[in-house]
Amino acid sequence: MVCAISAYIDFYYLVRRPAIDEDCLTAIQEALARFHHYRVAFQTHGVRPAGPEAFSLPRQHAMTHYPELIIAFGAPNGLCSSMTEKKHIQAVKKPWRRSGRYRALGQILLTNQRLDKLAAARRDFRRRRMLRGTCSSAAVRSLDSRDDPGLEASTEEEDADSREEPASAAVGDDDDDDDDWAPVQGPTVLNHVTLARTKGMPSFNHQVS
Amino acid sequence: MADVAKHTNNLDLVILTRHFLFDQLDPDSAIPGIDIHPSELPHISGNTFIYHSAIATYYAPSNYSGEGGMYRERMRATPLWKKGEIHGPRYDCALIENDPDLAGFAGLRVARLRLLFSIEHEDINYPCALVEWYSTVGSRPDSVTNYWLLEKEIVGGKLHRSVIHLDCILRGAHLAPVFADRLAPLRLNYTRTLDVFGRFYLNHHIDPHGFEVLH
């Protein structure tokens, strides 16, 4: 089982590469073969039933198509395989739960159609700068004689596409390990290692003979 | 520095630093610093500053990195690290560059950081680390897990330790213990793992960058 998982993680990291060459593709196929070979252990120990239908799991099946699709379309470069699963929640599960359960498919389709129209309308309003701030902030602005709507920064109606700023390189309290692993903004430079900013113990001035 | 050595319980700090300094000052010497007689090693003057952590910044576009693909990681060597219920020493392991001409793990070594410090000698500042070396068990990775097996390196009956320049450090290393056939002691605190176990797996699945570097 450990061998199967090891092969699986190897496969994962190999397809994660931003560029995949022939050697890498061979390694991917080899990792896939190893995974299938050792995966039998899960059947042997009764985790999955015996027989050819045992591993009919979508994501595991998708793995078998990766080599040919990489050749056809290039490296997936971190494309998330959970995408369809995530969308399933928004597009199927939630609408179904909101439906009357009787002939639910039609209701689900209608719900999805309306969600898409709302999303499109929202995009259009945002493009026309109609969605800036909240109702209360708009009321405040209209009362303020010095207002200049052109410079108003959006608050709650942040563009959903903007990404959060990752932590900056400046580190505060060195004991706080919340940003022990963090992205670094800025240009690509050579690797380097630097000591922490705050010193540990008091310094010593000592002549060693 | 002798005070620092005594205070941090690293009694070999002075002599190892002098070996290090010799190699820094005379990198082309036919005889490496470790083989030079103490009387011919440089003397350490000036202050010694201790640090509890160091930050490694490297290009890791597949990690959760910034726009240029840079990523940083903090490695700690501190006698007391507090986080929630954890209250004790923390000495992380690191990957050390050994031979830049060899790809992957062949060009690297693994060591445990015991002390991070800086010294100044003849107006040059040297950021350093006192490390304990690990060596590989066998010439190939473990056949079951595919991880390299490591154990502490013993030379002349003692742990092999050295002082190295901080530039030699590539990034942190994750060592997982080899449990073999025995159960772990019930009350073992995981913060003592590196001290208690004899052999470790070098985890090259730690993150995408680790995989690229070690695979």
Side-chain angles (χ1 to χ4, degrees), chain B residues 1 19 63 72 209:
Chain B
M1 175 175 269
H19 287 310
N63 285 19
R72 75 151 193 274
H209 179 263

Side-chain angles (χ1 to χ4, degrees), chain B residues 167-212:
Chain B
D167 286 348
C168 296
I169 298 177
L170 177 61
R171 54 162 287 159
H174 179 232
L175 270 53
V178 177
F179 296 106
D181 295 330
R182 307 211 299 271
L183 297 172
L186 191 62
R187 287 191 217 292
L188 176 64
N189 192 323
Y190 67 87
T191 58
R192 307 284 329 281
T193 304
L194 287 171
D195 303 313
V196 164
F197 287 87
R199 286 192 178 176
F200 301 89
Y201 295 112
L202 178 61
N203 180 13
H204 58 259
H205 287 136
I206 185 73
D207 57 30
H209 179 263
F211 184 78
E212 297 304 319

Side-chain angles (χ1 to χ4, degrees), chain B residues 102-177:
Chain B
L102 295 173
F105 182 59
L108 299 170
R109 298 188 65 186
V110 181
R112 188 158 186 207
L113 305 173
R114 279 299 183 186
L115 187 70
L116 295 163
F117 63 100
S118 71
I119 53 170
E120 199 167 288
H121 184 83
E122 291 171 0
D123 288 329
I124 301 179
N125 181 267
Y126 296 94
C128 306
L130 171 65
V131 302
E132 277 168 11
W133 295 106
Y134 288 90
S135 58
T136 54
V137 178
S139 55
R140 293 171 66 238
D142 172 55
S143 53
V144 172
T145 58
N146 226 20
Y147 293 139
W148 281 95
L149 278 169
L150 301 173
E151 60 186 4
K152 292 191 208 193
E153 190 166 75
I154 309 280
V155 170
K158 300 189 302 183
L159 280 177
H160 184 201
R161 284 153 57 105
S162 308
V163 166
I164 58 170
H165 197 290
L166 219 60
D167 286 348
C168 296
I169 298 177
L170 177 61
R171 54 162 287 159
H174 179 232
L175 270 53

Side-chain angles (χ1 to χ4, degrees), chain A residues 129-142:
Chain A
R129 302 178 199 270
M130 289 162 64
L131 284 180
R132 300 160 92 198
T134 61
C135 295
S136 49
S137 68
V140 166
R141 263 186 283 131
S142 67

